[in-house]
Each structure stands twice: as structure tokens, then as C-alpha cells.
Amino acid sequence: MIKTNLTGVYYNETITNEKSDKTYYITYKDINNKKVWVKIGKYSEGVREAYCNQKRNEIITKQRNGEEPPLIAKKKKRQILYIETIANDYFSQKTDRAIKSYYLNHILPFFKDYDFETITNIDIVKFMTTLKEKSGIRTNEPIAPKTINTILNILKSIIKYALKNDLIKNDFSKYITLNDIDNARERFLTKEEIKLLYNQSKDDEIIYLYFKLALNTGARLSTLRNISKKDIDFTHNLITLKDFKNKSTYKTFLNSQLKELLQNRVEKMNINDKVLSIYPEKRMKKIIDDLFNQGMDVNDRKNRVVFHSLRHTFASHLAINGTPIFTIQKLMNHKDITMTMRYAKLAPDSGREAIENLNL
């Protein structure tokens, strides 16, 4: 090893392609006062003594500041960053069980063994294709496009979280494309179809009350399942509803038919008891499918009837009866009036008369 005029810079005389050459090295002492040799490169590759001296000074400066020398750090094997590491952090700040369930059932199984820092466009396309070919957890039917969008948005959120916290540098969320969902037209039941639904469920008190409440309050399923006896004010014909989507509480009116049904239902209940103590999901779905979805494509979200269609039926018939748009907004607990504008033009009304005259 031949010493140069610069401190810590050495070279060996070598042969490259049958020509004389020099291979340069630098040396310095690490934090343990141990001498370290680092190969920089050959004269034939453009390496010169001044460049070697510059690299040595960079390492010594970083070492003095408590940083790891770049050449040493580069040689270290990088640990694989798994999605679980990021997701565990991400979900420690989230409480939505449904969102985490989508992650556990769909995202984690696919990306479990991937190095999250090296995911490519091809990997994302493969994942999106897999989602379209998979069946739902509780059914053999393909995953609905809207649900696929939810799953993809969760993956996007995890990626953005990793970027924000400097866990990754590659924003591969740009490769994720969501499905186009056509929500231009909402399916709702006619008066005749409502009668069919009631006739089919009248022998089951719980199911009948689920349908009756949905059609006469417009409440979402999660709201109906959480109505307690204490939420019903029979004196003023009011019912307090919890809107979990908008994280708010609102009141709506009881018409005479629904009031009578609820009075009979809660008569022997304690004040905190849930009015609908069970959730017969499969039985309700079967009734709806048998009546309205026979022979219909499972992905036809515009025309298939589901439990949520009863909420749209409520609003649509209010509109048909001439209820003002702002009254419908209040009764549906819509935060944004544009959500209510999908329904017909309306005439002024207080809302109470609209509910009393509805009697679906």
C-alpha cells in the first residue's frame, strides 16, 4: 500500500486491461479508535487523490457529528419493511373496526410478504385484479365495486401514513385507480311494492318493525339497531335517532301507525332496552331478494333492492307528496343539501304533517 501526500489516502499499483492502473483506498479511525480501510476506486475509473480526500473528510465529519459514515451505512443490509409494521402503527390511532376488518381480510393477505418500499405498479394492478376476482367473506358473490373502492382507499391511507412518517419514499398510491360508481339513479319501492314487503314480513314482529321503522323514519340500519326505549317520546310523538355516519343525534316524528307498533313493543321493556333486540340480517335479505331481485345481476347496484333502499324510499315518497327539500334534508339528517337534491322538487311543509300523512 503506497501512501500519497494526502493524509489517510493510499493506493495500490494494479493492472487493468493490460495497462498500469492505481486502486485508491482511504483509512480513518472509527468511534472505537479502530482503523478502518475503505476502497474508493481506480484511477482508470476517474478516481483521483483529491476525490479520495474529499470522501475521507465527509466520513470524518459525519462521524464527529454522530452520524454513520455513508459508505458503511450503504453496505449494511436494509431491513425489510412489512405492511404489518406500518398498519399496526396506523390502526393504533384508528378505532373503526369495519375499516380494520377490510385491511385484515383483503389487504394484509396479499401484501403480507412484500417489501413495502419496493412495491411497483405491477403489484398494485395485480392486487386490484385480485379484488375483482374475489368473493365476499360472508357470500360467494363478487365483491361490489363500491366495496373495492373502500378497500383501495384504506390501502391509500396506509401508504400516505407511511409517507408522512418517512417510512417510505415511493408514493405508489398514484397507481391505484378507483372504480367508477354510477349513483345517478336510486332504486326505491312503489306503494304496491311496500305492501308486498309488509305482507311478506307481517308474521315476524322484529323484521316487520325493522321495515316499518326504516320506511317511516328513513334511518340507516345502524341507527335502527341502536334505538332504545328511552329514545321514544310518545307524549310528543318524537323519536331520537343516532346518526353514526355523521356522528350526530337528531329527532324525527312518529306517525300514528308507527307509534302504536312501538308502544306495544316497548310496553314491558326497561328504559335502556334496545327496541330491536336482534338483527335478522339473513332473513331480511332473503325476503327482499325473493320479492325484488330475482334474476337481477348481483353487481347491478342501481336497480337491486337492499335494506338501504328503504331509506331512499322514505325520501322519495316525501318528495312525491310535495315535502320541501329543506324538510327532507332535516328528516334525512343530511349534512349537505346536495345529497338531498337527488329527490324531486318540493312544496313547503313543516315535516310533522309529512310524516303523519306518509303512513307507509
Side-chain angles (χ1 to χ4, degrees):
M1 197 75 73
I2 301 170
K3 189 178 186 305
T4 70
N5 292 328
L6 298 174
T7 304
V9 179
Y10 295 78
Y11 70 89
N12 271 339
E13 291 182 341
T14 55
I15 302 295
T16 303
N17 296 328
E18 300 180 355
K19 292 182 179 180
S20 296
D21 203 353
K22 295 178 181 179
T23 301
Y24 287 98
Y25 296 83
I26 59 172
T27 185
Y28 63 92
K29 289 184 178 180
D30 65 15
I31 56 175
N32 297 315
N33 207 33
K34 183 179 178 181
K35 199 169 188 179
V36 177
W37 288 88
V38 178
K39 179 181 175 181
I40 301 300
K42 297 180 178 181
Y43 186 93
S44 61
E45 295 170 337
V47 176
R48 300 293 184 267
E49 293 175 13
Y51 177 77
C52 296
N53 186 55
Q54 178 188 335
K55 286 297 176 186
R56 183 176 183 273
N57 289 336
E58 285 178 7
I59 291 173
I60 292 172
T61 300
K62 284 184 174 290
Q63 187 172 274
R64 190 180 298 122
N65 293 333
E67 301 175 32
E68 194 170 31
L71 291 174
I72 303 301
K74 189 175 180 181
K75 289 183 178 180
K76 283 192 173 182
K77 185 177 179 182
R78 184 180 62 79
Q79 287 189 335
I80 295 176
L81 180 63
Y82 292 108
I83 191 171
E84 281 182 284
T85 304
I86 301 169
N88 287 343
D89 237 16
Y90 174 75
F91 284 110
S92 68
Q93 304 174 39
K94 307 287 178 182
T95 56
D96 194 317
R97 291 183 180 179
I99 296 297
K100 190 171 184 179
S101 175
Y102 282 127
Y103 159 76
L104 292 172
N105 291 322
H106 301 287
I107 298 174
L108 178 60
F110 185 91
F111 289 106
K112 187 176 180 65
D113 298 321
Y114 276 77
D115 184 340
F116 212 62
E117 285 193 282
T118 62
I119 290 174
T120 65
N121 181 25
I122 295 173
D123 300 321
I124 294 297
V125 171
K126 186 177 177 183
F127 175 59
M128 292 189 294
T129 303
T130 301
L131 286 179
K132 291 176 181 177
E133 294 173 349
K134 280 182 71 175
S135 298
I137 301 301
R138 292 180 294 179
T139 141
N140 291 322
E141 297 178 354
I143 302 175
K146 188 175 180 181
T147 302
I148 290 178
N149 281 357
T150 299
I151 296 168
L152 292 175
N153 278 324
I154 295 168
L155 178 58
K156 271 189 173 184
S157 297
I158 293 172
I159 296 169
K160 296 296 184 184
Y161 177 83
L163 285 164
K164 182 180 178 181
N165 290 277
D166 296 323
L167 298 173
I168 61 173
K169 294 182 179 179
N170 177 28
D171 184 7
F172 52 90
S173 66
K174 61 188 175 185
Y175 303 128
I176 296 174
T177 55
L178 302 179
N179 296 298
D180 290 329
I181 307 295
D182 185 3
N183 289 324
R185 181 163 60 89
E186 297 285 357
R187 172 75 159 94
F188 67 92
L189 304 184
T190 64
K191 291 267 189 177
E192 290 71 23
E193 288 175 325
I194 292 169
K195 289 178 183 177
L196 286 174
L197 187 65
Y198 286 154
N199 286 335
Q200 198 68 23
S201 58
K202 63 184 179 182
D203 295 330
D204 188 318
E205 181 189 8
I206 295 291
I207 292 180
Y208 183 75
L209 192 51
Y210 261 111
F211 290 155
K212 203 75 178 175
L213 275 165
L215 285 163
N216 286 279
T217 66
R220 296 181 178 88
L221 182 58
S222 58
T223 298
L224 298 179
R225 292 175 62 185
N226 282 276
I227 297 174
S228 301
K229 180 178 180 179
K230 63 184 177 185
D231 297 321
I232 307 171
D233 179 356
F234 290 115
T235 302
H236 301 97
N237 295 335
L238 291 170
I239 182 168
T240 302
L241 300 174
K242 300 177 184 69
D243 187 335
F244 294 93
K245 182 178 180 180
N246 291 328
K247 297 179 181 179
S248 61
T249 301
Y250 67 106
K251 294 183 184 295
T252 193
F253 307 108
L254 295 175
N255 59 39
S256 55
Q257 288 186 10
L258 188 55
K259 178 180 178 179
E260 184 179 352
L261 279 173
L262 289 172
Q263 282 177 322
N264 294 333
R265 173 69 182 167
V266 305
E267 185 178 1
K268 296 180 180 179
M269 286 184 174
N270 295 321
I271 193 68
N272 291 315
D273 287 348
K274 293 284 193 294
V275 175
L276 298 165
S277 52
I278 60 172
Y279 172 38
E281 178 186 15
K282 291 183 179 179
R283 298 206 310 273
M284 289 196 297
K285 184 178 184 302
K286 187 176 187 311
I287 290 173
I288 290 172
D289 284 344
D290 287 347
L291 285 176
F292 311 116
N293 297 328
Q294 290 297 314
M296 194 174 294
D297 192 311
V298 293
N299 291 318
D300 188 355
R301 296 181 65 82
K302 288 177 67 175
N303 296 299
R304 281 183 69 84
V305 176
V306 294
F307 191 89
H308 196 72
S309 303
L310 307 186
R311 176 172 166 83
H312 296 300
T313 299
F314 168 80
S316 297
H317 281 278
L318 285 174
I320 291 168
N321 285 354
T323 311
I325 190 70
F326 291 106
T327 302
I328 295 183
Q329 180 189 12
K330 181 182 72 173
L331 296 172
M332 294 286 282
N333 199 41
H334 282 159
K335 280 189 173 182
D336 190 342
I337 191 66
T338 58
M339 296 177 68
T340 322
M341 291 301 296
R342 74 184 74 179
Y343 304 108
K345 293 181 179 180
L346 310 166
D349 203 340
S350 68
R352 182 184 297 273
E353 293 82 3
I355 294 291
E356 183 59 41
N357 293 332
L358 196 58
N359 283 328
L360 294 179

